[in-house]
Amino acid sequence: MLPWKRVLRPLAALLLTAAVAVVPAATTAQAAETAAAPSSGSPLLERSRELGGGWNDYNCKPSAAHPHPVVLVHGTFANSVDNWLGLAPYLKDRGYCVFSLDYGQLPGVPFFHALGPIDKSAEQLSAYVDKVLAATGAAEADLVGHSQGGMMPRYYLKFLGGAGKVNALVGIAPNNHGTTLSGLTNLLPYFPGAEDLLSAATPALAQQVVGSDFMTKLNAGGDTVPGVRYTVIATKYDEVVTPWRTQFLTGPDVKNVLIQDLCAVDISEHALIGITDRIAFHEVANALDPAHARPTTCASVFS
């Protein structure tokens, strides 16, 4: 085991505990109502987004080369800015119209999102995609998500009619089949009331545990829906979505990629593969434009 993984595992547990501690269970009903309402983010986040690279430009019109606007879907504990300070400018510089949303907000918890019920977050995504398509005039969008953001859109595609509005879904370290969180979720039964508290206070965390009712529903009848191209980009050093192989999808029009098969010395873990890893970014660009894909190697970090 790499030494830094020994640090990250308890850190993940700390984040899990902190989420439960700071969000009272009594806010659950209000959280569901808040999560159901589309949000473009606070003025501070909007300003940060402008400074971070100028994405979310609703005057942007997709080009013939890149006809689908790209909607970026952040992960758990993240938001529409911090998750995409690397990838959003990367794609924008390559001629894409790029957008990002905030979802899964809980009352009294600023900046740290994707904690509300995942089905309600999918409703937010649905409304946001409609907004982007209306603004750009495009018939379909491409979705790129990190962690929960790579999995939650599958609910939108499967249950909310998203398949007719989405050309491709690219998941970076997506929690597609539930996680053991490096074995930490196995400890929940040993703490009476912990599972109920987790479900009440931070529904999305409970729903992402392997074997949850949400995961069972999401994957019943197959991982994919017709008409959408799927790409999964994973790292074998992932300490959050574990085992890492559970990130991969099965079905037609699926491409599963292990980043170390492209660059053996890439040691990005769960967070870095979505936030800073330009080798992963290069593979995202290939997934968005497979007709002009170029081989991804260690040298892609410079491209």
Side-chain angles (χ1 to χ4, degrees), residues 49-110:
R49 193 180 293 119
E50 292 172 7
L51 295 174
W55 70 96
N56 273 20
D57 176 6
Y58 290 94
N59 293 315
C60 186
K61 299 300 179 185
S63 65
H66 302 305
H68 305 115
V70 178
V71 175
L72 303 177
V73 191
H74 65 75
T76 309
F77 291 112
N79 60 58
S80 61
V81 176
D82 63 16
N83 212 145
W84 305 122
L85 290 173
L87 183 58
Y90 182 94
L91 294 176
K92 186 173 179 292
D93 289 346
R94 283 155 180 76
Y96 288 91
C97 292
V98 181
F99 302 85
S100 64
L101 78 156
D102 290 301
Y103 71 89
Q105 303 93 329
L106 292 180
V109 184

Side-chain angles (χ1 to χ4, degrees), residues 57-213:
D57 176 6
Y58 290 94
N59 293 315
C60 186
K61 299 300 179 185
S63 65
H66 302 305
H68 305 115
V70 178
V71 175
L72 303 177
V73 191
H74 65 75
T76 309
F77 291 112
N79 60 58
S80 61
V81 176
D82 63 16
N83 212 145
W84 305 122
L85 290 173
L87 183 58
Y90 182 94
L91 294 176
K92 186 173 179 292
D93 289 346
R94 283 155 180 76
Y96 288 91
C97 292
V98 181
F99 302 85
S100 64
L101 78 156
D102 290 301
Y103 71 89
Q105 303 93 329
L106 292 180
V109 184
F111 306 115
F112 301 102
H113 300 323
L115 296 171
I118 299 176
D119 54 329
K120 298 301 182 182
S121 293
E123 292 177 11
Q124 290 181 271
L125 175 62
S126 176
Y128 191 80
V129 170
D130 287 348
K131 177 181 177 181
V132 168
L133 294 180
T136 60
E140 293 181 315
D142 286 335
L143 308 181
V144 179
H146 181 210
S147 192
Q148 182 187 160
M151 170 274 291
M152 177 271 282
R154 292 180 51 224
Y155 190 97
Y156 163 56
L157 299 177
K158 194 169 187 177
F159 299 111
L160 301 180
K165 301 174 183 179
V166 173
N167 170 64
L169 169 61
V170 183
I172 306 171
N175 186 10
N176 278 322
H177 296 97
T179 180
T180 66
L181 199 62
S182 294
L184 289 171
T185 61
N186 297 329
L187 300 177
L188 286 173
Y190 295 96
F191 296 89
E195 292 178 88
D196 290 340
L197 179 59
L198 192 66
S199 297
T202 51
L205 296 183
Q207 289 175 319
Q208 291 185 81
V209 173
V210 64
S212 71
D213 290 344

Side-chain angles (χ1 to χ4, degrees), residues 10 13 29 39 46 64 72 80 134 150 174 187 206 208 233-234 255-256 268 272 293 300:
S39 170
E46 293 290 350
L72 303 177
S80 61
L187 300 177
Q208 291 185 81
I233 304 170
K255 181 181 180 182
N256 293 312
S268 290
L272 294 182
S300 298

Side-chain angles (χ1 to χ4, degrees), residues 1 15 26 82 164 196 200 267 269:
M1 183 192 303
L15 288 173
D82 63 16
D196 290 340
I267 60 171
E269 43 66 66

